[in-house]
Amino acid sequence: MLSSDVRFEGFTATDWVRVLSLFRPRRADAPEADRPRGGVVAVHAGGRLRKLMHTDAGRLRIDDAQRAPPRSAEELAARHHASWAAVIEAGALEAIVERFGARMRRGDDLIAQSLLLLQLAREEVIAGRIDVWPARLRGVPMPSAGVVRGTLESLAGVGKTMVIGLFEGGELWTSVAMRRDARGINLILGPDEVRKDMGLLAGDWRRDYRHLSRAIEERAGELSLGCFAEAETIRKLEVDPSPGAWARAVAVRDVILAPVPAALAIPLGIDAGRAALSALRAIAERIDPMGIVGPAMRAVLERAGTDSEMAAMLPFHPLELLRKLLSRER
């Protein structure tokens, strides 16, 4: 589905699997040994279950007791002890592909294609032909192409590159660099192309990230956003609900942002402000057992969560959206 003006290069199979693993939903606390694993997909037609697939176990046998399709994806996940599930009416996916082909235009870029595909899938969900659980982004509006391009513009100017580089055991674990042109992203560059250009590493990622930045700039152009950390640190921060988690990690250099655009600096500042207000509220609750100060404090916290300056630049809170997408709540 990548448009003709997007180059995708520099990924080995291992590098790509590592990138995808960063977006695997997880809980903020340590998972139990018996937590649900994998996903299960059921396809039904004419009131009967036709196919049943599990991402870990493969195709599952359908016995007589399972001939009736599950009432919901949530019930299907519980039945098979899965972390996610999808119940799909036969023909729904084919309808998405057919409408995608009919509505796509030759000049559509990657952003337009991706949003069209998401919109078509959402229409099938609304029509009841696809049910997915958990619906982590329920209530989050579908962004327009203008919103996506505006967000991209605030993070990277034309000809600029964004990169995330993750380290583990003193080595580059994986990285993704995206270069922007006037139409959108025109290059997605993986670590296999830059490892040999980084030279001799010191084994300390807080110094070695500079070598990665230099190698990316030589191949893709000037950086507008760089995010560097150990892989395990990012995994934890993605789902950490505590106020100020990202700001605290940046302050102690568990995460290095170099450079950092204003569009990302503002959410980090709000994250730090929320942490301070949360601490202030805890103190107020101790010295104000009658709850006199509490309502005023809550009003301040609500105001902090809807910062007008950030809303003018980004129509969403990127750190909270990431947590919503990847958190597997109890």
Side-chain angles (χ1 to χ4, degrees):
M1 193 191 71
L2 292 181
S3 58
S4 59
D5 56 341
V6 179
R7 286 164 43 211
F8 185 91
E9 57 188 47
F11 288 93
T12 65
T14 299
D15 293 327
W16 187 238
V17 168
R18 287 174 174 177
V19 170
L20 295 180
S21 72
L22 295 174
F23 302 99
R24 182 182 301 131
R26 60 186 65 87
R27 278 198 291 267
D29 56 350
E32 297 85 358
D34 62 343
R35 69 173 175 83
R37 294 179 181 275
V40 60
V41 178
V43 179
H44 65 93
R48 293 175 66 85
L49 189 61
R50 300 299 185 184
K51 291 183 180 179
L52 193 61
M53 297 287 295
H54 196 289
T55 57
D56 290 349
R59 187 165 182 170
L60 302 177
R61 180 176 175 272
I62 303 175
D63 55 34
D64 292 338
Q66 294 177 315
R67 290 298 174 185
R71 290 190 296 271
S72 67
E74 185 175 2
E75 175 195 331
L76 181 67
R79 183 189 301 173
H80 295 277
H81 199 58
S83 63
W84 64 270
V87 178
I88 304 172
E89 184 177 324
L93 298 182
E94 289 84 349
I96 292 174
V97 173
E98 288 177 4
R99 281 184 286 161
F100 179 74
R103 292 169 58 176
M104 189 174 64
R105 299 294 177 261
R106 184 182 297 274
D108 287 348
D109 60 11
L110 182 60
I111 292 174
Q113 291 181 21
S114 301
L115 290 176
L116 174 59
L117 190 62
L118 287 173
Q119 180 60 42
L120 294 174
R122 189 170 190 168
E123 290 173 1
E124 292 297 307
V125 171
I126 294 173
R129 288 161 55 84
I130 297 177
D131 181 28
V132 179
W133 181 88
R136 294 185 177 90
L137 296 183
R138 180 174 294 160
V140 177
M142 176 72 69
S144 66
V147 167
V148 174
R149 292 191 177 95
T151 301
L152 194 59
E153 174 68 32
S154 67
L155 295 175
V158 174
K160 300 293 185 64
T161 302
M162 301 173 287
V163 61
I164 177 171
L166 302 181
F167 295 79
E168 189 174 87
E171 300 288 341
L172 177 62
W173 188 69
T174 196
S175 67
V176 180
M178 294 182 290
R179 185 180 64 199
R180 179 175 177 264
D181 64 5
R183 288 170 50 85
I185 299 298
N186 71 344
L187 172 63
I188 302 175
L189 181 66
D192 195 50
E193 292 288 323
V194 298
R195 281 193 177 100
K196 58 180 176 292
D197 298 333
M198 290 175 63
L200 185 63
L201 300 183
D204 179 358
W205 72 268
R206 290 181 177 86
R207 287 188 287 173
D208 292 336
Y209 85 88
R210 295 186 180 90
H211 300 299
L212 176 59
S213 295
R214 174 184 49 77
I216 292 291
E217 287 190 323
E218 288 175 353
R219 285 183 171 267
E222 182 183 354
L223 294 185
S224 66
L225 167 62
C227 178
F228 309 95
E230 291 187 314
E232 187 58 29
T233 299
I234 293 297
R235 288 194 188 98
K236 292 177 180 177
L237 287 172
E238 284 176 336
V239 296
D240 192 336
S242 59
W246 280 91
R248 188 164 51 248
V250 172
V252 301
R253 288 174 61 85
D254 282 344
V255 174
I256 293 177
L257 299 177
V260 54
L264 191 56
I266 290 174
L268 283 170
I270 292 174
D271 198 35
R274 284 174 172 167
L277 288 170
S278 179
L280 185 58
R281 181 173 60 181
I283 294 172
E285 288 172 352
R286 293 194 192 101
I287 65 175
D288 179 37
M290 302 301 293
I292 298 173
V293 181
M297 187 63 64
R298 279 193 296 273
V300 173
L301 286 170
E302 289 171 2
R303 174 68 183 87
T306 56
D307 185 271
S308 58
E309 185 180 2
M310 185 189 74
M313 299 187 67
L314 294 176
F316 58 90
H317 194 301
L319 304 179
E320 181 61 21
L321 182 63
L322 180 66
R323 193 189 71 81
K324 255 187 161 182
L325 180 63
L326 298 182
S327 292
R328 180 182 287 126
E329 306 291 356
R330 286 185 182 275

